[in-house]
Amino acid sequence: MRIAAGLIFASAVSLCVAGAAWSQTPASKSAAAPQAAPAPAAAPAPAPAPALAKAACANPDALGIARTVEIDTTGGPGFGFEHFKQLDFLRDKEVVLTFDDGPWPVNTASVLKTLADECTTGIFFSIGKHATYYPEILKEVLAAGHTIGSHTWSHATLTNKKLTEDQRKEEIEKGFSAVKWALGGVSPAPFFRFPALQHPPEMVTYLGTRNIAIFSCDLDSFDFKARNAQQVIDVTMKKLDKLGKGIILLHDFHKHTAEALPALLRRLKAGGYKVVKMIPKAPVQTLPQYDEEILKDTKLPTVSDRPVSSVVQTISQ
Ligand SMILES: [Zn+2]
């Protein structure tokens, strides 16, 4: 390991202006679902199949999915007008829902249920560490047909000058490898979001060489600052009604966001907004050295989670 975990963590804490959503340790050991972790991804798994067939929607008044767009990530295109203004692909009244910082107990499940109730979808930008804590939750996100990208390994702010170039790359690469590991070897989308939307130019260029698309946003809900669910709805709708469309930044990590989502999606529907699903043309190609680092990081805790009595039983003496 070239990086002292504490360094990255401290950097993330000190530089995360947003202040609320850096990588956390698991909520509690018991919440970490100490069931068998997924088998290490020894063999390359098939790419996630794009959801071509629309599943039947039981809710006739659902928000739904208006259209699905496939993204060719060659050269690392940037999305979200807060930072990237070249690709204006959304039509009037179209939105893309994005959820950062999961997977996380309770809140991610709540977001999944709300999306399912409205037969709609979003992009989940997972933190690598969180994916290793809660692989089963991330698998549920995949099983529900949503798009999964990455949001670094530990939510380090990559503009932090204390990080070397190798450390910045490791944050990016290990994040993707961790998500892939959590998904049992299924590669996520080559979709990446920088923590705190801080874009170091050399890493933007690097992502281009890796054919990974970069997601800023068109409007930030600032849900991590919200004091309650209503505030999440009010801020989001005010900005959206002004812009008329856009990629919306939310956090499945946050309680208020999970609580706000049912009413927020109703407001979108009532306002005539339509959800666009973004899928990649091809999955991300992770780098083997980082896949191996994840295996090293996750192997021992998986074993030690099980009590001896469940592993070794005397059957004769
Ligand atoms: Zn974040």
Side-chain angles (χ1 to χ4, degrees), residues 161-179:
K161 294 196 173 6
K162 288 181 183 166
L163 296 179
T164 65
E165 185 159 332
D166 278 352
Q167 287 171 327
R168 289 172 225 259
K169 286 179 184 170
E170 177 160 341
E171 274 289 318
I172 292 169
E173 299 295 353
K174 213 170 150 181
F176 279 106
S177 290
V179 169

Side-chain angles (χ1 to χ4, degrees), residues 21 100-101 127 151 155 195-196 251:
D100 291 6
D101 295 1
I127 294 175
H151 191 41
H155 210 268
H251 293 83

Side-chain angles (χ1 to χ4, degrees), residues 149-150 172-180 188-192 212 284 286:
S150 175
I172 292 169
E173 299 295 353
K174 213 170 150 181
F176 279 106
S177 290
V179 169
K180 179 180 173 183
F191 291 177
F192 179 80
I212 293 171
V284 73
T286 58

Side-chain angles (χ1 to χ4, degrees), residues 54-235:
K54 270 190 184 173
C57 179
N59 176 2
D61 190 36
L63 178 59
I65 299 170
R67 68 178 173 124
T68 300
V69 294
E70 185 183 85
I71 307 302
D72 181 346
T73 62
T74 305
F79 295 96
F81 267 52
E82 280 206 8
H83 296 91
F84 303 98
K85 304 192 191 308
Q86 291 155 324
L87 299 169
D88 187 11
F89 73 100
L90 289 177
R91 300 166 187 161
D92 192 33
K93 291 277 185 182
E94 283 187 339
V95 298
V96 175
L97 303 172
T98 66
F99 299 95
D100 291 6
D101 295 1
W104 203 249
V106 182
N107 300 336
T108 300
S110 172
V111 166
L112 289 179
K113 181 182 184 307
T114 304
L115 294 176
D117 288 346
E118 291 288 343
C119 306
T120 193
T121 193
I123 307 173
F124 288 73
F125 290 98
S126 299
I127 294 175
K129 273 189 181 178
H130 292 184
T132 63
Y133 299 156
Y134 305 112
E136 299 309 321
I137 299 175
L138 197 61
K139 283 195 182 80
E140 286 172 22
V141 177
L142 182 70
H146 305 300
T147 302
I148 301 176
S150 175
H151 191 41
T152 70
W153 163 243
S154 73
H155 210 268
T157 305
L158 299 190
T159 46
N160 180 358
K161 294 196 173 6
K162 288 181 183 166
L163 296 179
T164 65
E165 185 159 332
D166 278 352
Q167 287 171 327
R168 289 172 225 259
K169 286 179 184 170
E170 177 160 341
E171 274 289 318
I172 292 169
E173 299 295 353
K174 213 170 150 181
F176 279 106
S177 290
V179 169
K180 179 180 173 183
W181 175 88
L183 295 175
V186 176
S187 290
F191 291 177
F192 179 80
R193 178 172 274 152
F194 284 97
L197 300 182
Q198 296 293 305
H199 299 76
E202 70 278 12
M203 287 301 106
V204 170
T205 304
Y206 175 71
L207 287 165
T209 67
R210 294 278 289 115
N211 299 322
I212 293 171
I214 304 161
F215 282 71
S216 174
C217 65
D218 293 296
L219 65 107
D220 191 337
S221 67
F222 283 104
D223 55 348
F224 58 89
K225 287 184 177 172
R227 289 188 299 277
N228 53 50
Q230 190 59 46
Q231 208 173 14
V232 176
I233 298 166
D234 292 344
V235 171

